Amino acid sequence: MAKTMAVNAGSSSLKFQLLEMPAEQVIAQGVIERIGMDDAIVTIKYGADVQGERLIGHLEEDDEHVTLSKNGKGKKYENVLAIKDHQQAINFMLQKLTDLGIIQDFNEITGVGHRVVAGGEWFNHSVVVTDSVLEKIDRLADYAPLHNPANAMGIRAFQKLLPDALSVAVFDTSFHQSMPEENYLYSLPYEYYTRYGARKYGAHGTSHRYVAARAADMMGKDLSSLKLITLHLGAGASITAVKDGKSLDTSMGFSPLAGVTMATRSGDVDASLVYYIQEREGLTNDEMLTILNKKSGLLGLSTISSDMRDLLDVQDTNDHAKLAVKIFVNRIIKYVGQYIAEMGGVDALVFTAGIGENSAPIRQMIIDRLSYFGIELDTDANQTRGQEIEISTSSSRVKALLIPTNEELMIARDVEALK
Ligand code: ADP
């Protein structure tokens, strides 16, 4: 059967998932971290349900070993070695997939789907990568300087090693291209939009698109008839109003810095305050952006941790942690209220990503504040983690759903659709 690889290439890492398509079965997944270093780490999990537990053998070097999962069905390959660039990383990974017997031949991989962060206004759906598509991804680096160049590097490296596989770009922004101009434009001089593309693009589009479609399936309704609010709450967090199956509005903006409070990102801030702080502290533009992106959000407010688990653990005894959680929840409530008003109602709220999938207390804090809209939490169902389930009561007028996101599957499906 044909295999499709879903790829997420970062500047020093590369995550991948190999799926049997159209069966949608994951046969391997892995990550190569610290690309460019002498001690890059390669991890490949394969077989079923892998949680590396028992060492079953060293391969060539001491660092290279395979462990077997508790249930005996899955295996985990790990190695630490020097990897100089993405090309070498991908070459090594494909070779290892062959050595481990996961594939017999590179040519079994007939499609490769790449996550690309910024698609600007050029891409409102996934596309087969051509020279002109690659050139546009390069040009869009202005909008995502940390991500698009790495994404393009991943695409080029795979094209060299698998020249016959269909190469597809799946953009984080494309789902949000359906937003109307009253939602994507900032109230700035219009010429900045025409000159520089200064507008809202949103992010996490592949995740919002996946969970919205799953929500419609779970509800047994046609997606085009629903008003949904999808809450992607991970380290990065965004909320989207999905009406008639399309993104109507989303909380992230020109970049993924905007919107709700995140692990280390500030979310929405009055622009003039940024200049005020920058001037007082004598910070360069880059330093200020680093503070907004890496030192703010839950970390900045709590002064303790960017990880929601840590904050929930100590919130009863630590005022800063409590405040950070309160602000996180409150920002979300405000966006949800705004989107209910914008859509003229809501049929379901969908929780996904690290916090959305795993944190019963956060889901409860959000839903309890929304009872006015006719949303009633089933507190038992809400204890579930990481699996699809309805967490509202059967009498709740508005449904609340927990749906683990699966961007890799969405990418693989897009590759299939373009074959
Ligand atoms: P991203 O893909 O944006 O890096 P994830 O979707 O993997 O992020 O989510 C990571 C976040 O999920 C972490 O910040 C962590 O705090 C949070 N998280 C994971 N499990 C839990 C949990 N049980 N309770 C609360 N937060 C959790």
Side-chain angles (χ1 to χ4, degrees):
M1 220 186 292
K3 295 176 178 67
T4 295
M5 189 166 275
V7 176
N8 184 354
S11 52
S12 66
S13 73
L14 187 130
K15 289 192 199 126
F16 70 90
Q17 203 173 89
L18 186 65
L19 297 100
E20 198 97 50
M21 295 300 279
E24 302 192 343
Q25 198 187 343
V26 179
I27 38 186
Q29 58 188 340
V31 59
I32 303 161
E33 295 159 281
R34 303 166 65 83
I35 296 173
M37 315 273 251
D38 287 339
D39 54 350
I41 307 165
V42 182
T43 312
I44 303 173
K45 295 175 177 182
Y46 55 109
D49 187 24
V50 180
Q51 295 291 329
E53 283 292 332
R54 187 163 66 81
L55 188 68
I56 54 169
H58 281 285
L59 301 182
E60 288 179 8
E61 300 159 30
D62 270 2
D63 283 335
E64 190 178 35
H65 59 267
V66 175
T67 45
L68 190 69
S69 67
K70 246 188 226 159
N71 62 15
K73 288 185 188 154
K75 291 180 186 165
K76 180 159 83 170
Y77 165 88
E78 289 170 293
N79 196 359
V80 178
L81 74 165
I83 292 185
K84 71 172 191 306
D85 56 19
H86 283 65
Q87 190 78 51
Q88 197 188 341
I90 296 163
N91 198 8
F92 182 84
M93 180 262 281
L94 291 172
Q95 193 55 53
K96 224 17 97 180
L97 291 178
T98 318
D99 295 349
L100 294 166
I102 298 164
I103 54 170
Q104 308 307 315
D105 192 293
F106 286 14
N107 292 330
E108 282 171 39
I109 303 171
T110 55
V112 184
H114 298 267
R115 174 193 182 207
V116 179
V117 167
E121 287 189 332
W122 277 321
F123 301 106
N124 60 9
H125 52 76
S126 302
V127 292
V128 172
V129 179
T130 59
D131 288 348
S132 114
V133 167
L134 250 180
E135 187 207 327
K136 290 188 171 109
I137 293 172
D138 285 337
R139 283 167 65 186
L140 287 162
D142 276 358
Y143 295 168
L146 297 179
H147 295 101
N148 269 40
N151 303 151
M153 201 151 53
I155 294 176
R156 290 193 169 94
F158 268 98
Q159 281 182 336
K160 263 197 201 143
L161 290 163
L162 302 175
D164 296 329
L166 186 75
S167 176
V168 170
V170 179
F171 302 90
D172 269 17
T173 50
S174 62
F175 182 58
H176 302 301
Q177 277 297 300
S178 52
M179 284 188 291
E181 58 189 354
E182 63 269 29
N183 284 341
Y184 71 67
L185 281 179
Y186 291 108
S187 307
L188 290 168
Y190 193 82
E191 69 207 58
Y192 297 142
Y193 166 58
T194 44
R195 233 188 270 164
Y196 309 118
R199 51 160 285 178
K200 181 194 275 204
Y201 293 99
H204 292 144
T206 309
S207 174
H208 289 290
R209 181 160 61 103
Y210 174 79
V211 298
R214 286 300 307 145
D217 285 349
M218 281 173 78
M219 295 165 80
K221 296 248 169 80
D222 194 348
L223 180 59
S224 62
S225 70
L226 290 171
K227 293 170 182 161
L228 304 172
I229 297 177
T230 50
L231 299 96
H232 179 111
L233 309 177
S238 68
I239 301 182
T240 298
V242 183
K243 191 174 180 214
D244 308 330
K246 296 189 202 126
S247 170
L248 173 76
D249 206 349
T250 193
S251 60
M252 281 179 169
F254 173 71
S255 79
L257 175 60
V260 296
T261 303
M262 302 177 225
T264 61
R265 282 174 246 169
S266 63
D268 298 334
V269 177
D270 179 343
S272 62
L273 181 59
V274 174
Y275 286 109
Y276 180 83
I277 294 171
Q278 199 174 341
E279 219 174 84
R280 290 294 182 286
E281 295 274 313
L283 300 167
T284 63
N285 293 346
D286 277 354
E287 286 166 343
M288 189 69 225
L289 263 181
T290 302
I291 290 172
L292 293 167
N293 274 303
K294 304 246 161 87
K295 304 206 166 137
S296 301
L298 295 175
L299 175 66
L301 284 166
S302 71
T303 72
I304 303 171
S305 171
S306 61
D307 193 317
M308 182 57 87
R309 284 166 290 201
D310 296 340
L311 305 184
L312 291 171
D313 280 351
V314 300
Q315 63 164 345
D316 288 341
T317 51
N318 184 301
D319 288 345
H320 276 282
K322 192 173 177 177
L323 180 65
V325 172
K326 198 168 160 183
I327 291 175
F328 178 83
V329 170
N330 198 45
R331 284 287 184 91
I332 293 168
I333 302 290
K334 290 191 213 187
Y335 267 100
V336 170
Q338 188 181 317
Y339 290 162
I340 292 175
E342 246 187 299
M343 292 195 289
V346 62
D347 298 305
L349 298 185
V350 185
F351 291 86
T352 195
I355 301 173
E357 290 169 26
N358 295 302
S359 182
I362 293 289
R363 290 192 300 257
Q364 172 145 18
M365 281 182 235
I366 294 170
I367 293 172
D368 281 354
R369 296 265 307 277
L370 296 168
S371 58
Y372 171 83
F373 295 109
I375 313 178
E376 198 178 88
L377 184 72
D378 178 333
T379 46
D380 287 338
N382 189 43
Q383 298 313 311
T384 311
R385 280 175 64 173
Q387 73 182 61
E388 286 186 358
I389 186 168
E390 179 177 336
I391 54 169
S392 46
T393 61
S394 53
S395 58
S396 181
R397 199 159 44 75
V398 174
K399 301 282 168 221
L401 306 170
L402 190 177
I403 303 181
T405 194
N406 196 338
E407 286 154 295
E408 294 80 9
L409 177 57
M410 201 74 240
I411 291 173
R413 282 182 184 166
D414 284 359
V415 175
E416 276 300 292
L418 289 165
K419 266 185 184 165

